Every structure is written in structure tokens, then in C-alpha cells.
Amino acid sequence: MTTAGSRPQFDAPARAIREVDYGFFGPGSPTWKVWTAPTALLGFQRAVVLEHFDPDLTAAVADVGGIYSDPRGRLDHTFAYFLIAAVGDGRMAIEASEHLMQVHAKATGVEPITGKRYSANNPQSQLWIHITGWHSVLKCYEMFGPGPLDPEEERRYWAECAVAAELQTCMPSDVPRSRAEVREYFAAVKPRLCSSERAHRGMHYLLRTPWDKGLRLWGGSRIVAPAVIATLPRWMREVGGFDQFAILDAAVRPAGRIAVAVLGGERAKLAVLRSSIGPVTARLYREHLDAGVPLEPVTVTPEQARARYGSAGRRPQLNVG
């Protein structure tokens, strides 16, 4: 999938989130636990900001302009996709994945700094989006939520991250499968990451959305931003132009943990999702809470789900040039 700004409008399939099976991970999985925690809201904002360090994704954001014309709608539909991949059934996940990839296959252009063509489905950019998303949500879960997963849960989490990557155009051999491999991945891609005037605009817009896009988004982004920035390494803050004082880092960490604890109830989480993200994500989360036992109470692999529910039983043709 592309960034929040470059993604075309995405509507969740008109069916309940978990009807035919338990999806790829199932009850008790670390993915369900981490991605439905209130800290996922912080991790999500962190992820969409970090995507701008990829120059191709920055070009897509600037060319499409979705985050500037409808930031709440774009963020809502982006988070909805992540949530479907994490807790939706195999049918909904495959339908959402195929729809997005088919639309993104048409989303290409020229990255102005290098003069090279970009594609929304480029495997390297897709991997950056995927890893920053899963890493950011876990990072915020650790810093502001219950704390680190136990070693077995963490091993499972990164294994599940690799499974979810199969919904995108990522090369399976490139997907990290442990925290150590994630660190190696970040070190390997750092030389091609950069910032620019357009990247700065996108990152700052997401961290502190202007008031004319709605008071809730204006206020919510500013409340969340200091906590998100506190999770980032110094070099990213400096390159992105949004560093903050160490004393603020120290203050927001305990404050963030208190806020997350207050929002731990399901009713409170739903209210926050509706007000700060949007109705599609809130609907899917409510369906996740209310879902009973699916038709087949088993987990499936993306390959199995694609064979059952995918168009022609295969991954659609992609334009990655």
C-alpha cells in the first residue's frame, strides 16, 4: 500500500470484519494484542510521518495531495487497511489487498530530485511502509502501553509481520523476521532515506494538522505529536526538522502511559477512533469486538486466502516500474 497521502479513497468491503475465518493470526496472537491496543494510534501517526523519509513516497504524497485535501479521510482509510490485515478474516484482507494494489498500479510519476520514475507498488517502498508500520506500533506499545512483549511473543510478532507483508508487493526474502533483522534493515536502508521541502511539509502537516481541517484533528495531532517524536531517534528528528527538548521527552513518556491507561476501556477507544481517526476504522474495530466464532474457526495463510477469495486465484498483475 502507499502512504496516507498517496492512497486513493479506500472503502472497507461491505461485510463484517471476521465472517469466514480468524484471518492470518487469530485470538491470542501478539498481532491482535498490539494492533488493537490504544497505543496503536500513536504508532500509526509515527508510521505515516516516517514514510516521508522515502523519496518516492514523498513524491506520491505531493503528487496526489490527499493528505492536504482530506487528511482525516486518508488517515481513516489507511488505518482501516492496517486493521483489516491484522484482525480481519482472509476474505476481507485479500479483497482489500487486491483492490489497493490494482489502484496503485496506476499511481506512478517522476521523483523530482532524482528524475527517476516511482510507483506506488514498488517493492522497496512497500517494504519501508510495512516495516515502519509494524515497528512503530510495537515501539509505542512498549513505551506507552504494557511494555515489551515476552521473547516468544516478540518472535511470533515478527513472524506474523512477515506473513502480513505477503498482502503487499514486498519481496518475501527482504522482510525482517526478528528485532535484530529489523535493526539490520534500518541500517541498510538509511543511506537512501532523505528529506526535502516536500517531505518536511508532509511530516509537519501530519504531526500538527492545520485548524482548518477540523478542530478535532488539529487538537488531536498536537496532543499526540510530542509522544510520537519522543519515540524517534535524534537523527530523524533533526533531518525531519521536528526535534524537541529532552525535558519534553521525559515529561511525555509518563503522561502518555497515564493517558493510554485511561483509554484502555473499549468504549473509550471507540470514542477516540471515531473522533481522531474516522468512522471506517471505528466501525471495523467495533466489529472486531463484537465478532463471534467465524464460519471456519481456523487461521489461514495469505496463499490459502488468495486461492479461495482472490481474483482468478492469484496476485493481480502489478506495475512496479
Side-chain angles (χ1 to χ4, degrees), residues 64 88 125 135 191 225 249:
V64 176
S125 293
H135 176 265
D249 287 348

Side-chain angles (χ1 to χ4, degrees), residues 10-284:
F10 163 72
D11 291 316
R15 61 174 90 254
I17 194 170
R18 206 159 49 250
E19 295 178 349
V20 298
D21 52 47
Y22 279 128
F24 308 132
F25 312 116
S29 66
T31 291
W32 279 29
K33 179 162 66 173
V34 172
W35 275 95
T36 62
T39 49
L41 296 170
L42 298 170
F44 176 67
Q45 190 192 46
R46 185 184 194 270
V48 295
V49 169
L50 291 190
E51 288 169 11
H52 287 76
F53 283 103
D54 182 302
D56 288 352
L57 298 177
T58 289
V61 169
D63 288 348
V64 176
I67 63 168
Y68 305 115
S69 61
D70 181 22
R72 189 166 185 258
R74 298 300 179 179
L75 293 171
D76 185 19
H77 291 89
T78 302
F79 202 156
Y81 181 89
F82 275 115
L83 193 60
I84 289 170
V87 303
D89 64 22
R91 179 172 62 185
M92 182 179 277
I94 291 301
E95 288 176 353
S97 169
E98 289 195 344
H99 171 73
L100 286 175
M101 287 196 293
Q102 288 166 353
V103 174
H104 296 165
K106 304 173 184 177
T108 63
V110 176
E111 198 285 304
I113 297 175
T114 64
K116 297 179 180 179
R117 293 198 63 81
Y118 70 80
S119 167
N121 276 326
N122 178 276
Q124 284 190 330
S125 293
Q126 289 286 298
L127 184 59
W128 174 248
I129 291 169
H130 185 68
I131 297 304
T132 54
W134 281 66
H135 176 265
S136 292
V137 170
L138 180 59
K139 179 77 172 179
C140 291
Y141 182 90
E142 293 174 337
M143 286 189 64
F144 301 109
L149 301 175
D150 67 45
E152 176 57 22
E153 282 186 313
E154 182 168 328
R155 184 198 65 76
R156 284 185 59 193
Y157 182 81
W158 291 115
E160 291 169 357
C161 171
V163 170
E166 295 180 39
L167 291 176
Q168 298 170 229
T169 63
C170 310
M171 298 296 291
S173 59
D174 293 340
V175 182
R177 286 167 169 77
S178 68
R179 185 180 293 258
E181 290 186 7
V182 170
R183 291 195 187 102
E184 292 172 2
Y185 167 75
F186 283 136
V189 300
K190 185 177 179 180
R192 72 174 177 86
L193 302 179
C194 65
S195 191
S196 65
E197 183 178 346
R198 298 201 302 178
H200 275 220
R201 183 191 179 204
M203 289 187 280
H204 286 260
Y205 195 93
L206 290 165
L207 285 168
R208 298 178 178 89
T209 306
W211 68 269
D212 62 348
K213 298 303 179 182
L215 288 177
R216 286 182 296 184
L217 194 56
W218 175 86
S221 64
R222 281 161 174 75
I223 291 171
V224 170
V228 168
I229 294 169
T231 69
L232 295 171
R234 185 70 56 184
W235 75 266
M236 281 189 172
R237 305 185 199 191
E238 293 173 351
V239 172
F242 49 75
D243 200 5
Q244 62 190 19
F245 293 114
I247 191 170
L248 183 54
D249 287 348
V252 299
R253 291 180 183 182
R257 295 183 75 88
I258 292 171
V260 166
V262 170
L263 296 174
E266 304 301 353
R267 182 174 297 181
K269 279 194 283 187
L270 273 171
V272 171
L273 285 174
R274 289 193 192 97
S275 62
S276 63
I277 300 296
V280 178
T281 302
R283 179 207 118 195
L284 291 170

